[in-house]
Amino acid sequence: MSPRSSSTGLPVVAVLALGYGVVTVLSGAGGFLTAIGVASLVVAGAQAALGVLLLPAGVGIAMRASWGRLLGIVAFGGVAVVQLLPLLSGETFAVPLAGVFLSTACALYLALAGEAFGTDDERVLTEDTNPHEFVR
C-alpha cells in the first residue's frame, strides 16, 4: 500500500476547501457592501481573495498535487488570520470561532500530510538506477 492511498482525510479537506472557498468569497462580497471604513474594506477584500485561492486549492488537494497542498496551507492559514483581525484590532468581540478552528485544523492537516502528496518524480533511486554510480 503506497503512502498516497493511506490518507483518507484528503477528500474531506478538498470538499471543505471548495465549500469554504465559496462561503468566504460570498462573505467577502457581502463585506464590501456593508463596509464602513477602510479597515473593513481591507478585511472584506482579503476574505474574497483568500476564498478565491481556496477554490483551486481544493482542486489541487483532490488531485493530490503538491501545489494544491501549499496553496491550501496558505489559503486556510490566511483565512484564520483574517477572521481574527477584527478581534485583534478591537473592532468587534464577535469572531467566528468555528471558522477559525476549521481553517486552522485544515492548514495543520495539510502541513502534516505531506507524504500523501508525494513528489512529482516518484522514481526510487537505488544502486542499480543511479546514473552517477561508476563501476570499475
Side-chain angles (χ1 to χ4, degrees):
M1 179 184 243
S2 72
R4 295 186 89 171
S5 65
S6 65
S7 186
T8 58
L10 285 178
V12 173
V13 174
V15 169
L16 282 174
L18 292 171
Y20 200 51
V22 170
V23 169
T24 306
V25 167
L26 293 176
S27 174
F32 274 125
L33 298 175
T34 61
I36 296 171
V38 176
S40 40
L41 275 174
V42 169
V43 169
Q47 277 185 336
L50 290 168
V52 168
L53 282 179
L54 276 173
L55 298 175
V59 173
I61 293 167
M63 294 182 347
R64 295 181 185 229
S66 60
W67 60 266
R69 174 180 173 244
L70 294 175
L71 190 60
I73 291 170
V74 168
F76 275 123
V79 167
V81 169
V82 166
Q83 287 183 347
L84 286 175
L85 283 179
L87 177 67
L88 296 176
S89 68
E91 197 173 296
T92 183
F93 291 110
V95 174
L97 289 178
V100 172
F101 290 141
L102 175 72
S103 56
T104 303
C106 288
L108 286 174
Y109 180 81
L110 289 173
L112 296 175
E115 74 279 352
F117 289 90
T119 59
D120 294 334
D121 187 20
E122 294 185 4
R123 294 178 290 174
V124 177
L125 190 62
T126 63
E127 291 177 358
D128 297 332
T129 61
N130 189 354
H132 300 290
E133 197 67 36
F134 298 107
V135 178
R136 290 186 177 210

